[in-house]
Amino acid sequence: GNPLSMLCAKKVGNTNFQEYNTVVVPYCTQDVHIGDAPNFSYDGGNNYIHHVGAHNMIRTLNWIFSNFPNPTHIFLTGCSAGGTAVPIAYDLINKHYNTLLKGGGGPLPRAVNINVIMDSSVYLTPSYFLENGFPNWNPGTIMKKKLRFNYNRYKYQENYPD
Protein backbone atom coordinates (compact mmCIF):
# COMPACT_ATOMS: atom_id res chain seq x y z
CA GLY A 1 0.00 0.00 0.00
CA ASN A 2 0.87 3.66 -0.18
CA PRO A 3 2.05 5.60 2.88
CA LEU A 4 -0.43 7.86 4.66
CA SER A 5 1.54 10.88 3.43
CA MET A 6 1.01 9.98 -0.23
CA LEU A 7 -0.42 13.42 -1.07
CA CYS A 8 2.92 14.92 -0.04
CA ALA A 9 5.01 12.19 -1.63
CA LYS A 10 7.26 12.97 -4.57
CA LYS A 11 6.47 9.62 -6.13
CA VAL A 12 3.53 7.23 -5.76
CA GLY A 13 3.84 3.98 -7.65
CA ASN A 14 5.10 4.82 -11.12
CA THR A 15 3.89 8.42 -10.95
CA ASN A 16 6.63 10.96 -10.30
CA PHE A 17 4.97 14.13 -9.03
CA GLN A 18 8.22 16.07 -9.35
CA GLU A 19 7.45 16.16 -13.08
CA TYR A 20 4.05 17.82 -12.49
CA ASN A 21 3.16 21.49 -12.32
CA THR A 22 1.33 22.29 -9.09
CA VAL A 23 -1.45 24.80 -8.53
CA VAL A 24 -2.51 25.28 -4.90
CA VAL A 25 -5.86 26.91 -4.15
CA PRO A 26 -5.99 28.01 -0.50
CA TYR A 27 -9.25 27.87 1.39
CA CYS A 28 -10.22 31.21 2.85
CA THR A 29 -13.86 31.91 1.95
CA GLN A 30 -15.70 29.51 4.32
CA ASP A 31 -17.92 28.17 1.52
CA VAL A 32 -16.22 24.97 0.26
CA HIS A 33 -15.12 26.81 -2.91
CA ILE A 34 -18.67 27.19 -4.27
CA GLY A 35 -19.94 30.48 -2.78
CA ASP A 36 -21.24 33.53 -4.61
CA ALA A 37 -22.20 35.86 -1.77
CA PRO A 38 -19.50 38.57 -1.69
CA ASN A 39 -20.94 40.68 1.14
CA PHE A 40 -22.78 38.40 3.54
CA SER A 41 -23.23 39.36 7.19
CA TYR A 42 -24.14 36.92 9.94
CA ASP A 43 -24.45 39.66 12.55
CA GLY A 44 -26.78 42.22 10.99
CA GLY A 45 -24.19 44.22 9.08
CA ASN A 46 -21.35 44.78 11.52
CA ASN A 47 -19.02 42.26 9.94
CA TYR A 48 -19.02 40.82 6.45
CA ILE A 49 -17.74 37.57 5.05
CA HIS A 50 -16.93 37.32 1.38
CA HIS A 51 -18.19 33.90 0.32
CA VAL A 52 -16.58 34.04 -3.13
CA GLY A 53 -15.15 30.55 -3.43
CA ALA A 54 -16.88 29.96 -6.77
CA HIS A 55 -15.31 33.13 -8.16
CA ASN A 56 -11.89 32.01 -6.95
CA MET A 57 -12.39 28.56 -8.47
CA ILE A 58 -13.48 29.92 -11.86
CA ARG A 59 -10.63 32.46 -11.96
CA THR A 60 -8.13 29.76 -11.03
CA LEU A 61 -9.49 27.37 -13.65
CA ASN A 62 -9.42 30.09 -16.31
CA TRP A 63 -5.77 30.76 -15.43
CA ILE A 64 -5.04 27.03 -15.67
CA PHE A 65 -6.84 26.75 -19.01
CA SER A 66 -4.80 29.67 -20.38
CA ASN A 67 -1.46 28.53 -19.01
CA PHE A 68 -1.83 24.79 -19.62
CA PRO A 69 -3.66 24.56 -22.96
CA ASN A 70 -2.73 20.94 -23.77
CA PRO A 71 -2.12 18.82 -20.69
CA THR A 72 -1.95 15.06 -21.09
CA HIS A 73 -2.72 14.23 -17.48
CA ILE A 74 -4.30 16.10 -14.57
CA PHE A 75 -4.27 14.99 -10.95
CA LEU A 76 -6.76 16.70 -8.60
CA THR A 77 -6.53 16.40 -4.84
CA GLY A 78 -8.45 17.94 -2.00
CA CYS A 79 -9.04 17.48 1.68
CA SER A 80 -12.04 18.60 3.71
CA ALA A 81 -13.46 21.76 2.07
CA GLY A 82 -11.03 21.32 -0.81
CA GLY A 83 -12.19 17.74 -1.27
CA THR A 84 -15.81 18.86 -1.32
CA ALA A 85 -15.14 21.06 -4.34
CA VAL A 86 -13.17 18.44 -6.29
CA PRO A 87 -16.21 16.96 -8.13
CA ILE A 88 -17.17 20.45 -9.33
CA ALA A 89 -13.61 21.24 -10.40
CA TYR A 90 -13.42 17.84 -12.09
CA ASP A 91 -16.59 18.48 -14.07
CA LEU A 92 -15.45 21.92 -15.22
CA ILE A 93 -11.95 20.68 -16.12
CA ASN A 94 -13.34 17.65 -17.92
CA LYS A 95 -15.77 19.78 -19.93
CA HIS A 96 -12.98 22.16 -20.90
CA TYR A 97 -10.30 19.67 -21.87
CA ASN A 98 -12.33 16.67 -23.04
CA THR A 99 -14.62 18.23 -25.60
CA LEU A 100 -14.69 17.69 -29.34
CA LEU A 101 -12.29 19.79 -31.39
CA LYS A 102 -12.75 20.67 -35.03
CA GLY A 103 -9.99 18.90 -36.94
CA GLY A 104 -9.21 18.59 -40.64
CA GLY A 105 -11.34 15.43 -40.91
CA GLY A 106 -14.14 16.44 -38.57
CA PRO A 107 -14.57 16.52 -34.79
CA LEU A 108 -11.73 14.94 -32.83
CA PRO A 109 -12.17 13.79 -29.24
CA ARG A 110 -9.63 15.08 -26.76
CA ALA A 111 -8.41 12.64 -24.17
CA VAL A 112 -6.91 14.29 -21.09
CA ASN A 113 -6.56 11.77 -18.30
CA ILE A 114 -7.94 13.23 -15.05
CA ASN A 115 -7.42 11.39 -11.75
CA VAL A 116 -8.76 12.39 -8.35
CA ILE A 117 -7.97 11.74 -4.69
CA MET A 118 -10.26 13.31 -2.07
CA ASP A 119 -10.20 12.98 1.69
CA SER A 120 -12.68 14.04 4.39
CA SER A 121 -15.07 15.78 2.02
CA VAL A 122 -18.07 17.48 3.58
CA TYR A 123 -21.00 15.58 2.07
CA LEU A 124 -22.97 14.27 5.05
CA THR A 125 -24.84 17.51 5.55
CA PRO A 126 -27.90 17.67 7.83
CA SER A 127 -31.10 19.17 6.48
CA TYR A 128 -30.95 22.02 9.05
CA PHE A 129 -27.73 23.30 7.48
CA LEU A 130 -28.99 22.74 3.93
CA GLU A 131 -32.03 24.88 4.70
CA ASN A 132 -30.48 27.55 6.98
CA GLY A 133 -26.74 27.81 6.35
CA PHE A 134 -26.00 26.64 2.84
CA PRO A 135 -28.16 29.30 1.12
CA ASN A 136 -26.00 32.02 2.74
CA TRP A 137 -23.20 31.03 0.38
CA ASN A 138 -25.42 31.33 -2.72
CA PRO A 139 -23.98 28.14 -4.28
CA GLY A 140 -26.71 28.05 -6.93
CA THR A 141 -24.72 30.35 -9.23
CA ILE A 142 -21.95 27.88 -9.95
CA MET A 143 -24.34 24.92 -9.85
CA LYS A 144 -26.81 26.37 -12.34
CA LYS A 145 -24.64 28.48 -14.63
CA LYS A 146 -21.43 26.47 -14.85
CA LEU A 147 -22.59 22.90 -14.20
CA ARG A 148 -26.13 23.22 -15.54
CA PHE A 149 -27.31 21.34 -12.44
CA ASN A 150 -30.93 21.79 -11.36
CA TYR A 151 -29.93 23.26 -8.02
CA ASN A 152 -33.41 24.49 -7.05
CA ARG A 153 -34.86 20.99 -7.46
CA TYR A 154 -32.34 19.25 -5.23
CA LYS A 155 -31.02 21.92 -2.85
CA TYR A 156 -32.83 20.66 0.26
CA GLN A 157 -32.63 16.93 -0.43
CA GLU A 158 -30.29 14.83 1.64
CA ASN A 159 -30.68 11.91 -0.78
CA TYR A 160 -29.74 12.72 -4.37
CA PRO A 161 -31.04 11.56 -6.75
CA ASP A 162 -34.54 11.08 -5.45
Side-chain angles (χ1 to χ4, degrees):
N2 292 317
L4 291 176
S5 62
M6 69 181 277
L7 293 179
C8 298
K10 294 177 181 167
K11 189 172 182 182
V12 176
N14 293 328
T15 304
N16 185 352
F17 289 107
Q18 292 179 10
E19 298 172 358
Y20 280 56
N21 293 294
T22 303
V23 177
V24 176
V25 181
Y27 180 61
C28 57
T29 59
Q30 302 176 9
D31 60 12
V32 297
H33 301 283
I34 61 173
D36 181 32
N39 293 302
F40 190 82
S41 177
Y42 289 93
D43 65 1
N46 295 319
N47 297 291
Y48 291 90
I49 294 178
H50 304 291
H51 293 303
V52 292
H55 297 260
N56 294 345
M57 181 189 298
I58 297 303
R59 286 184 182 118
T60 301
L61 290 176
N62 286 337
W63 183 88
I64 290 169
F65 298 153
S66 294
N67 288 279
F68 301 98
N70 296 304
T72 57
H73 186 249
I74 297 171
F75 195 85
L76 294 174
T77 65
C79 182
S80 191
T84 304
V86 165
I88 293 172
Y90 173 89
D91 189 67
L92 296 170
I93 290 169
N94 188 50
K95 284 178 183 173
H96 178 82
Y97 285 119
N98 291 323
T99 57
L100 294 177
L101 298 175
K102 302 262 186 218
L108 303 171
R110 294 178 72 179
V112 176
N113 186 8
I114 305 171
N115 291 310
V116 173
I117 290 181
M118 303 179 336
D119 183 32
S120 303
S121 301
V122 185
Y123 294 126
L124 300 175
T125 308
S127 57
Y128 178 83
F129 178 77
L130 289 174
E131 295 170 10
N132 298 291
F134 198 58
N136 298 335
W137 302 345
N138 193 24
T141 301
I142 194 168
M143 301 288 199
K144 290 184 277 191
K145 291 182 180 176
K146 294 292 183 181
L147 300 177
R148 300 198 188 334
F149 175 76
N150 190 343
Y151 173 73
N152 288 330
R153 179 175 178 191
Y154 297 105
K155 66 183 174 182
Y156 296 131
Q157 291 190 16
E158 293 175 334
N159 300 314
Y160 169 82
D162 52 354

